[in-house]
């Protein structure tokens, strides 16, 4: 991770230092907000980082930070149906705005590499549930008015043996 001393004015008389990863993270997040961008694509080493469970906010972004200015290279995947040139220009604008606003660095160059087109997967038809044939339940007998319901017969008491 490179750290570069930026000669920015400070009211305290100190210096401000931005790591490359800080600027790359700003660019990554700004590009991700652009409509039509599906993802950023990085190197295999960056993919390894994510497999280890760590979120990588610099995937697909390379920056060079100088004393007062920086450059940025970003590789993106554009969603199918969007004008690629318009999406790439919007990515450039958003990254430039974000970096200059948040760091005060002057952005000299932003190179956008479109590496792929993302197609939305077609929805798979849901499988129809298998219906098992059930026997229709027997209808309950209808009650007839005027006829009392038969009473249940009382259970016979157990016979007692005579005492001797």
């Amino acid at each position: 991770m490179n750290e570069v001393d930026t000669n920015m004015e400070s009211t305290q008389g100190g210096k401000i230092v931005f790591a490359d990863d800080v600027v790359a993270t700003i660019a990554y997040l700004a590009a991700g907000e652009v409509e039509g961008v599906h993802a950023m694509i990085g190197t295999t080493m960056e993919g390894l980082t994510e497999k280890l469970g760590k979120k990588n906010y610099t995937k697909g972004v390379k920056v060079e930070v100088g004393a007062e200015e920086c450059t940025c290279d970003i590789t993106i995947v554009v969603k199918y149906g969007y004008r690629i040139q318009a999406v790439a220009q919007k990515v450039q604008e958003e990254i430039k705005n974000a970096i200059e606003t948040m760091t005060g660095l002057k952005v000299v160059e932003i190179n956008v590499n479109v590496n792929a087109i993302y197609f939305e997967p077609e929805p798979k038809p849901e499988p129809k549930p298998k219906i098992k044939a059930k026997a229709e339940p027997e209808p309950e007998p209808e009650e007839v008015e005027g006829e009392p319901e038969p009473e249940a017969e009382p259970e016979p008491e157990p016979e007692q043996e005579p005492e001797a």
Side-chain angles (χ1 to χ4, degrees):
M1 172 168 61
N2 296 333
E3 292 185 356
V4 176
D5 177 15
T6 58
N7 294 325
M8 302 177 82
E9 294 180 26
S10 175
T11 57
Q12 301 298 319
K15 59 184 176 178
I16 300 171
V17 178
F18 294 106
D20 286 358
D21 282 353
V22 170
V23 178
T25 299
I26 294 168
Y28 176 90
L29 293 172
E33 295 293 318
V34 175
E35 189 175 342
V37 173
H38 174 69
M40 272 59 80
I41 294 184
T43 63
T44 54
M45 287 302 290
E46 290 170 345
L48 179 63
T49 304
E50 287 185 357
K51 286 181 183 176
L52 295 174
K54 184 177 179 186
K55 182 72 174 159
N56 187 358
Y57 289 108
T58 60
K59 181 167 86 171
V61 182
K62 294 178 187 164
V63 296
E64 290 182 26
V65 181
E68 295 178 4
E69 52 192 30
C70 70
T71 62
C72 178
D73 293 328
I74 186 165
T75 304
I76 63 172
V77 175
V78 176
K79 293 179 183 176
Y80 178 77
Y82 286 85
R83 290 189 53 222
I84 297 172
Q85 187 173 1
V87 171
Q89 287 173 343
K90 186 69 173 171
V91 166
Q92 288 175 322
E93 291 170 17
E94 292 297 320
I95 290 174
K96 182 175 180 3
N97 272 346
I99 292 174
E100 288 182 351
T101 301
M102 295 178 77
T103 66
L105 294 169
K106 182 175 190 265
V107 179
V108 178
E109 179 178 77
I110 300 172
N111 300 310
V112 178
N113 302 302
V114 179
N115 197 357
I117 302 290
Y118 174 75
F119 295 92
E120 291 285 334
E122 293 182 17
K124 295 180 182 177
E126 293 183 22
K128 294 181 182 177
K130 295 180 181 177
I131 300 174
K132 294 181 180 178
K134 293 183 180 178
E136 289 189 30
E138 293 181 24
E140 293 183 21
E142 295 180 19
E143 291 184 25
V144 180
E145 288 185 34
E147 284 187 31
E149 291 185 26
E151 293 182 19
E153 295 181 23
E155 293 182 23
E157 292 183 20
E159 293 182 21
Q160 295 181 354
E161 293 181 19
E163 291 181 24

